[in-house]
């Protein structure tokens, strides 16, 4: 086998081109380095600190029925994360909103998962000083995806509580949406080993924190409770606070232990990827009668109804 660029003979086996196989990429459109590209062509340098050190922040917003849901809140969180990480981009908030809308419009998706990312980038001199890096912006729109599939949304998810501790807030501020997921992936793999469908990991004090891409809520005697410490302030979590205010439900953010979760009347998780999703089994315990509860159903219905409301959503202009 001959190496095309160097002409050197190697004894390496022929490698498959599996990572270049376009079928491995969902249909979608990305924006990077000033250009719109098909998803399969959106690639970054392996020297980008975003890849080498998880030195990046990002946000995910969804489009439903051709409308962004609560885009302003996602942009606030994204810009807040960049400020905390001392990153700067050559685009302002309106320009980023326009790029996201263009990615969606060019993709044609009316239900889309839209990501905006700022990586540390790399320095032209390969300096190890992060201040000398040129920060990079990437955005993309792919088909909408959910933590829970249709069947799981009907019957409720089976969640395993992991003993894994989420990275401490003193190490990585959870207000900065980040890719530090080794703890979450460890918990997820353990949950699969136990026959569960996803996981919840713990905070540094041993209370329930969050799961891979979602926050969690407990309903007890009509009141809602969600972890306060060591979690990403999710936009869907915030939306549950807002919907609860509209419905006259009381919500508290405080420590949540395993017992509160298993003894709950209802449990649900929240994410931009899936919205409000019921949980009906935790480890070996069935929650209440094992069916999706009335408070969860009411919140789910109102959540999706808000997606067509111009006070909560913004239309994408398709060509
Ligand atoms: N917690 C973590 C660690 C997440 O990554 C996410 C979303 O990706 C969430 C919670 C839920 O946040 P949101 O409701 O803003 O999607």
């Amino acid at each position: 086998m001959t190496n095309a660029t160097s002409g050197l003979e190697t004894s390496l086996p022929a490698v498959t081109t599996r990572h270049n196989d376009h079928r491995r990429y969902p249909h979608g459109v990305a924006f990077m380095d000033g250009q719109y590209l098909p998803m399969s062509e959106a690639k970054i340098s392996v020297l980008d600190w975003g890849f080498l050190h998880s030195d990046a922040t990002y946000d995910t917003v969804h489009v439903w029925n051709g409308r962004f849901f609560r885009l302003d809140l996602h942009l606030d969180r994204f810009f807040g994360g960049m400020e905390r990480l001392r990153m700067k981009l050559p685009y302002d908030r309106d320009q980023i909103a326009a790029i996201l809308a263009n990615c969606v419009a060019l993709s044609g998706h009316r239900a889309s998962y839209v990501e905006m990312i700022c990586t540390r980038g790399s320095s032209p001199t390969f300096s190890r000083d992060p201040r000398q890096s040129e920060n990079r912006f990437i955005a993309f729109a792919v088909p909408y995806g959910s933590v829970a599939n249709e069947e799981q949304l009907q019957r409720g998810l089976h969640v395993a509580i992991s003993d894994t501790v989420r990275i401490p807030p003193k190490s990585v501020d959870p207000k900065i949406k980040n890719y530090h997921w080794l703890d979450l992936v460890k918990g997820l793999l353990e949950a699969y080993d136990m026959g569960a469908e996803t996981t919840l990991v713990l905070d540094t004090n041993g209370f329930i924190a969050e799961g891979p891409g979602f926050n969690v809520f407990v309903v007890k005697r009509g009141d809602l409770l969600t972890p306060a410490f060591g979690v990403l302030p999710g936009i869907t979590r915030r939306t549950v606070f807002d919907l609860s205010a509209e419905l006259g439900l009381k919500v508290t953010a405080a420590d949540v232990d395993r017992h509160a979760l298993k003894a709950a009347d209802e449990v649900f998780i929240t994410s931009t990827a899936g919205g409000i999703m019921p949980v009906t089994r935790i480890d070996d315990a069935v929650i209440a009668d094992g069916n999706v509860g009335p408070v969860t159903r009411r919140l789910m219905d109102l959540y999706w109804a808000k997606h067509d409301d111009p006070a909560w959503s913004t239309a994408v202009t398709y060509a």
Side-chain angles (χ1 to χ4, degrees):
M1 187 185 158
T2 304
N3 180 313
T5 38
S6 66
L8 293 174
E9 288 296 319
T10 71
S11 57
L12 296 173
V15 203
T16 63
T17 55
R18 61 200 175 114
H19 294 295
N20 290 329
D21 182 346
H22 286 208
R23 288 168 305 184
R24 293 178 75 89
Y25 293 88
H27 171 74
V29 170
F31 174 90
M32 63 185 298
D33 300 334
Q35 291 184 63
Y36 293 93
L37 302 160
M39 273 318 289
S40 57
E41 289 173 26
K43 295 178 179 175
I44 61 161
S45 163
V46 292
L47 293 175
D48 191 305
W49 280 35
F51 173 69
L52 290 178
H53 306 304
S54 278
D55 189 350
T57 187
Y58 75 111
D59 218 288
T60 307
V61 56
H62 69 222
V63 167
W64 192 252
N65 289 339
R67 305 178 70 87
F68 280 108
F69 189 61
R70 311 203 90 179
L71 178 59
D72 276 338
L73 296 181
H74 289 277
L75 290 169
D76 286 348
R77 189 170 63 181
F78 182 56
F79 275 86
M82 281 195 291
E83 199 177 319
R84 286 185 167 90
L85 292 174
R86 303 201 221 167
M87 291 175 174
K88 276 205 173 64
L89 290 175
Y91 309 110
D92 65 20
R93 191 184 164 100
D94 290 346
Q95 287 169 318
I96 287 184
I99 291 167
L100 299 176
N102 286 340
C103 287
V104 177
L106 288 167
S107 77
H109 294 313
R110 300 197 58 85
S112 183
Y113 180 95
V114 186
E115 204 158 305
M116 60 201 99
I117 305 165
C118 181
T119 71
R120 185 71 62 192
S122 55
S123 120
T125 60
F126 301 111
S127 159
R128 297 184 68 83
D129 181 342
R131 294 170 303 180
Q132 292 175 9
S133 285
E134 287 165 9
N135 305 153
R136 167 175 274 133
F137 178 67
I138 305 167
F140 63 81
V142 291
Y144 180 74
S146 170
V147 173
N149 62 33
E150 273 306 318
E151 191 221 325
Q152 292 165 336
L153 289 172
Q154 291 302 320
R155 64 157 159 85
L157 284 154
H158 176 194
V159 176
I161 301 174
S162 170
D163 287 327
T164 306
V165 174
R166 186 83 171 109
I167 194 165
K170 279 190 176 165
S171 306
V172 173
D173 180 350
K175 290 193 196 75
I176 304 168
K177 194 166 154 69
N178 64 72
Y179 292 123
H180 290 268
W181 268 49
L182 296 187
D183 41 17
L184 296 169
V185 171
K186 176 172 172 277
L188 191 55
L189 293 173
E190 288 165 2
Y192 292 152
D193 288 345
M194 287 187 273
E197 293 160 328
T198 190
T199 189
L200 282 164
V201 300
L202 306 178
D203 70 21
T204 41
N205 301 316
F207 293 105
I208 303 294
E210 59 187 347
F214 54 82
N215 296 110
V216 63
F217 283 79
V218 165
V219 184
K220 189 71 183 176
R221 287 182 280 277
D223 294 341
L224 279 71
L225 174 68
T226 190
F229 172 72
V231 298
L232 174 79
I235 306 298
T236 323
R237 176 180 180 270
R238 152 81 192 267
T239 300
V240 169
F241 294 169
D242 296 339
L243 298 177
S244 296
E246 216 173 291
L247 293 172
L249 299 169
K250 186 178 155 214
V251 195
T252 309
D255 291 337
V256 178
D257 62 21
R258 290 165 195 260
H259 176 72
L261 212 63
K262 292 184 185 179
D265 296 331
E266 302 178 33
V267 176
F268 60 83
I269 59 169
T270 60
S271 173
T272 296
I276 298 168
M277 297 165 277
V279 172
T280 47
R281 195 170 151 196
I282 295 172
D283 297 336
D284 290 330
V286 172
I287 304 304
D289 65 1
N291 293 310
V292 178
V295 175
T296 308
R297 283 212 187 282
R298 263 179 100 190
L299 285 164
M300 286 169 80
D301 290 347
L302 190 56
Y303 174 80
W304 289 107
K306 294 292 186 192
H307 283 65
D308 295 322
D309 180 340
W312 295 63
S313 62
T314 325
V316 174
T317 308
Y318 294 84

